[in-house]
Amino acid sequence: MLFAALTWQVADHGPLRTLDERLGRALAAAGDIPSGLAEFFADLGNTVVALPVLLVVMVWTGWRGRQRWQRGKRWEREREGEQRGADATDGPAPVRWWLPPLAAGLALAAVPALVVPLKLWLARPGPPQMGGGAHDGFYPSGHGATAAVAYGVAALLLTRGRSRSRMQMRVQMRLLMVMRIDSDSDSDSDVNARRGAPAAAVALPLAVALLNVGVGIGLARRGYHWPLDVLGSWCLAGVLLAVWCAVCDRWAGGGGRAARHGACDGAGPGRT
C-alpha cells in the first residue's frame, strides 16, 4: 500500500515528490555527513559488493542445513526401533534444506526484474548531481533494493538456521525425556539451549537495518538518488523478503506434529 502511494506521488508529480526533491537537495548539500563515508555506504548497494556477501551466506547456510538434515536422519534411524508404534503422522515433515538458500538467490535475482520496468515506466529524472547522465529512471533505487534484499535475506538465512538448530535440539531433548534417558542432564541441557537464544537473533537484523539506513543516506548524500527512490526500494524489498519467508515456512519442511509439540513450551512430562 505504501509503495503504491509513493509510486503514485512520483508518477503524478504530487506534493510529496516536491518535498522529496527539496529534502534530497538539502541532503546532497549537507556538509555534516562526510562525502567519503557516504560513498562507502552507497557502494554497499552495488551488486558487485552485495552479491558475493549473499553467495557466501547461501553456501554456508546450505552446508549447515545439509549437516543438520544428515544428523537428523541418523538420529531418526537410531530411535526408529523405539518409535515403531508411533503414528506415522507424528514424524517430521520432509526437510528441503536447499530451499532457503535457493529462494534467497531467486529473491535477489527478482530485484532487477522488478526495478528496471518500473524505472523505464516512470522515467523519473535524477538529482542535479546526476544531470550529466544520458537517461532518466531513478525510481525505485536499484542500489537500495539490492542492499535491502541481499543483506536482509542473508540475515534471515542466518537467524533461521540458528532458530531451527535450537528447535531441533529442544525436540530431541523432549523425546529423550519422554523415554526417561538421562532426564536430569537433558533437562539442564534444554535450559541451557533456551538461555542460549543468542543476542545475535536481535543484533543481526538490527545491524542490517542500520546498514540499509546508511546505504539510503549515502545514496541521497552523494546525489545518486532522491530519498523517495530509496524508500520505494525498501517497500519493494519488504515484499520480496515477505515472500521468501512465506515460501520457506510453507515448503522448507522440518516441522511435523511431534516437532511442533516439542517446541511449544517448556513443560516436560509430569509438569504442570
Side-chain angles (χ1 to χ4, degrees), residues 213-235:
V213 170
V215 171
I217 293 175
L219 290 170
R221 169 65 178 86
R222 293 296 294 157
Y224 297 146
H225 278 285
W226 303 108
L228 275 188
D229 300 345
V230 178
L231 186 56
S233 71
W234 288 347
C235 294

Side-chain angles (χ1 to χ4, degrees), residues 72-73 75-76 83 85-95 171 175 253-261:
K73 295 296 286 184
W75 189 85
E76 287 174 15
Q83 297 180 346
D87 187 357
T89 59
D90 287 341
V95 177
V171 170
L175 294 176
R257 205 189 321 169
R260 287 194 296 271
H261 287 181

Side-chain angles (χ1 to χ4, degrees), residues 7-68:
T7 304
W8 166 64
Q9 284 290 300
V10 170
D12 201 43
H13 296 265
L16 191 58
R17 172 170 170 169
T18 302
L19 292 174
D20 174 57
E21 292 176 357
R22 288 179 185 173
L23 177 61
R25 292 189 182 93
L27 282 174
D32 297 337
I33 305 174
S35 177
L37 183 62
E39 184 70 28
F40 169 78
F41 276 102
D43 285 343
L44 293 180
N46 197 318
T47 306
V48 176
V49 178
L51 180 59
V53 172
L54 180 58
L55 286 176
V56 169
V57 175
M58 287 169 58
V59 171
W60 167 254
T61 54
W63 176 65
R64 291 288 294 169
R66 190 171 187 274
Q67 278 193 326
R68 287 193 300 271

Side-chain angles (χ1 to χ4, degrees), residues 61-152:
T61 54
W63 176 65
R64 291 288 294 169
R66 190 171 187 274
Q67 278 193 326
R68 287 193 300 271
W69 174 74
Q70 290 175 334
R71 286 199 300 267
K73 295 296 286 184
R74 287 197 299 268
W75 189 85
E76 287 174 15
R77 286 195 295 267
E78 290 172 2
R79 302 295 176 223
E80 187 178 21
E82 301 173 15
Q83 297 180 346
R84 286 177 181 174
D87 187 357
T89 59
D90 287 341
V95 177
R96 301 176 181 88
W97 56 267
W98 45 266
L99 181 58
L102 176 61
L106 292 176
L108 186 60
V111 169
L114 295 173
V115 168
V116 172
L118 285 169
K119 284 187 172 186
L120 295 176
W121 172 47
L122 295 168
R124 183 186 189 185
Q129 290 83 346
M130 301 297 291
H135 68 282
D136 288 335
F138 286 80
Y139 178 90
S141 167
H143 280 63
T146 297
V149 171
Y151 304 130

